């Protein structure tokens, strides 16, 4: 057996008995109330909290976005301070760079959408033809005429522009509130100067909580930086490929790919629909197939091969929980919630599970941790070894093959004599 080194982390106060023998925290609740009651109360509290968060999504979304940006930019400010740059200048430099990046992306998105809106009327004939084809097909399979009219009304250029404006308007809810974002950036970056000292103070009473916060900041920073870099690469490759193939508004669809790269599982399909539609309008089915193939290759290489290897264990969430978090945060705070689904879910996991030693046992159920992957690998190796041993044992205990009979067959027996005929035994 292998000796395990004892954990160096100090015990948590909530999991230990008090001087009078009583327990506190989750341990006390688990001993006082049935587990079913605790689960139902937790679900009820989560529902009320989600409804409350949804009610303040207008200010919550920019606040959470600024928090994630501040976490990602914090090492840059720390690096400048280590090189002797004063706190104020380092903080101001980071704020200015982040704000310019946001403003530049917003301006690029506005320009791309304006070009898309101006060129869309040029394809009104193709849109009408596509609507007629879909109308005929729906009528042939027995769809009601009212439903056909509702579906084909979306092929009007003005309707498409209004729909796109509605989506971009909700995304621009943060960009339109740049003053709020900038204000929060200034305040959070200024407060971040005291974060190391504050964490030292908190670690004296709640060391597990401080450790969980540090792990969260590191994991979110790694995930967001890697996803941003790969999203830029993926969007640029997609835009270049669409431009070469002649798909209209290639820049806008490249920006859409960049945004959707932050949405796990379903972002690829959201980014794929518009290029397919306009690829069909200008090139028919061959161009549609080409767009699907190009997008599939880029997505498979970037998000399915490169990103998991680079991010590693920073996002220890199961695929099911990841997809649910996208839907949940999109409902609670809008499209920005879908983009920030992973960081927000990791924040909830940090506050409710990672920071509480009494609840850390549930971490493997939320997603494959490093220990889970190591155990799975060890189990796979053990199963392979067991299968090899079983096959070897079967070969040893198998009966020897029966030797081939080489002797000649005995002569056939003589048939009995017919009735009335005496044989040798009947001679007197």
């Amino acid at each position: 057996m292998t000796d395990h080194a004892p954990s160096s982390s100090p015990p948590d106060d909530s999991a230990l008995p008090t001087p009078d023998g009583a327990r506190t925290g989750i341990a006390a609740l688990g001993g006082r109330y049935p587990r079913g009651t605790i689960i139902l109360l937790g679900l009820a509290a989560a529902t009320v909290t989600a409804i409350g968060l949804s009610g303040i999504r207008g200010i919550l979304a920019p606040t959470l976005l600024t928090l994630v940006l501040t976490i990602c930019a914090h090492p840059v400010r720390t690096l400048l301070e280590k090189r002797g740059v004063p706190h104020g200048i380092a903080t101001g430099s980071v704020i200015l760079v982040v704000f310019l990046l946001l403003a530049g992306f917003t301006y690029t998105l506005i320009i791309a959408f304006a070009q898309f809106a101006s060129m869309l009327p040029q394809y009104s004939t193709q849109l009408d033809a596509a609507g007629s084809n879909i109308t005929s097909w729906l009528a042939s399979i027995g769809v009601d005429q009212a439903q056909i009219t509702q579906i084909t009304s979306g092929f009007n250029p003005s309707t498409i522009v209004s729909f796109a404006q509605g989506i971009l308007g909700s995304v621009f809810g943060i960009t339109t509130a740049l003053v709020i974002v900038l204000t929060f950036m200034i305040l959070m970056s200024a407060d971040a100067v005291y974060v190391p000292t504050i964490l030292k103070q908190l670690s004296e009473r709640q060391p597990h909580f401080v450790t969980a916060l540090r792990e969260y900041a590191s994991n979110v920073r790694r995930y967001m930086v890697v996803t941003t870099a790969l999203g830029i690469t993926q969007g640029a490759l997609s835009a270049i490929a669409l431009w070469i193939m002649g798909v209209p508004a290639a820049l806008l669809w490249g920006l859409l790919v960049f945004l959707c790269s932050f949405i796990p599982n379903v972002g690829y399909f959201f980014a794929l629909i518009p290029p397919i539609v306009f690829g069909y309008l200008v090139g028919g089915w061959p161009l549609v197939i080409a767009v699907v193939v190009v997008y599939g290759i880029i997505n498979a290489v970037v998000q399915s091969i490169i990103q998991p290897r680079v991010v590693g264990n920073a996002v220890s969430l199961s695929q099911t929980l990841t997809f649910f978090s996208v839907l949940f945060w999109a409902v609670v705070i809008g499209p920005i919630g879908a983009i920030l689904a992973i960081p927000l879910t990791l924040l909830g996991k940090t506050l409710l599970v990672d920071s509480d030693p009494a609840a850390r046992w549930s971490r493997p159920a939320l997603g494959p941790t490093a220990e889970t992957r190591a155990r799975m690998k060890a189990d796979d190796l053990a199963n392979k070894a067991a299968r090899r041993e079983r096959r070897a044992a079967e070969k040893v205990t198998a009966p020897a093959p029966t030797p081939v009979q080489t002797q000649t067959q005995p002569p056939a027996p003589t048939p009995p004599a017919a009735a009335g005929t005496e044989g040798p035994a009947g001679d007197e």
Side-chain angles (χ1 to χ4, degrees), residues 131-145 147-149 152:
S132 300
N133 294 334
I134 293 178
T135 299
S136 302
W137 178 70
L138 292 176
S140 65
I141 62 177
V143 180
D144 184 70
Q145 185 61 37
Q147 296 177 348
I148 294 176
T149 303
T152 56

Side-chain angles (χ1 to χ4, degrees), residues 71-72 211-223 350:
I71 292 175
C72 295
T211 301
L213 287 180
R214 287 174 175 166
E215 291 180 355
Y216 167 75
S218 177
N219 292 337
V220 167
R221 189 179 302 120
R222 184 175 182 179
Y223 169 77
T350 298

Side-chain angles (χ1 to χ4, degrees), residues 12-18 20-35 37-38 356 358-359:
D12 182 74
D13 296 339
S14 62
L16 296 177
T18 55
D20 57 356
R23 287 184 174 271
T24 59
I26 295 179
L29 291 177
R32 187 179 305 174
Y33 302 102
R35 179 172 296 180
T37 302
I38 297 175
D356 186 2

Side-chain angles (χ1 to χ4, degrees), residues 64-79 94-95 97-98 101 185 188-189 192 216-229 262 340 343:
L64 294 175
L65 175 64
T66 311
L67 174 62
V68 174
L69 292 176
T70 303
I71 292 175
C72 295
H74 182 73
V76 179
R77 184 188 62 79
T78 304
L79 181 62
V94 172
I95 293 172
V97 170
V98 173
L101 290 176
M185 279 293 298
M188 289 184 183
S189 298
Y216 167 75
S218 177
N219 292 337
V220 167
R221 189 179 302 120
R222 184 175 182 179
Y223 169 77
M224 291 299 294
V225 171
V226 170
T227 304
T228 300
F262 292 92
L340 300 179

Side-chain angles (χ1 to χ4, degrees), residues 314-338:
V315 182
S316 56
L317 300 175
S318 65
Q319 295 296 325
T320 303
L321 181 58
T322 299
F323 180 64
F324 175 78
S325 67
V326 172
L327 302 179
F328 176 80
W329 290 111
V331 171
V332 173
I333 61 176
I336 293 301

Side-chain angles (χ1 to χ4, degrees), residues 163-186:
F163 177 75
Q165 285 178 342
I167 296 178
L168 294 177
S170 58
V171 175
F172 283 147
I174 292 181
T175 309
T176 305
L178 282 178
V179 175
I180 299 178
V181 175
L182 178 61
T183 303
F184 271 121
M185 279 293 298
I186 295 174

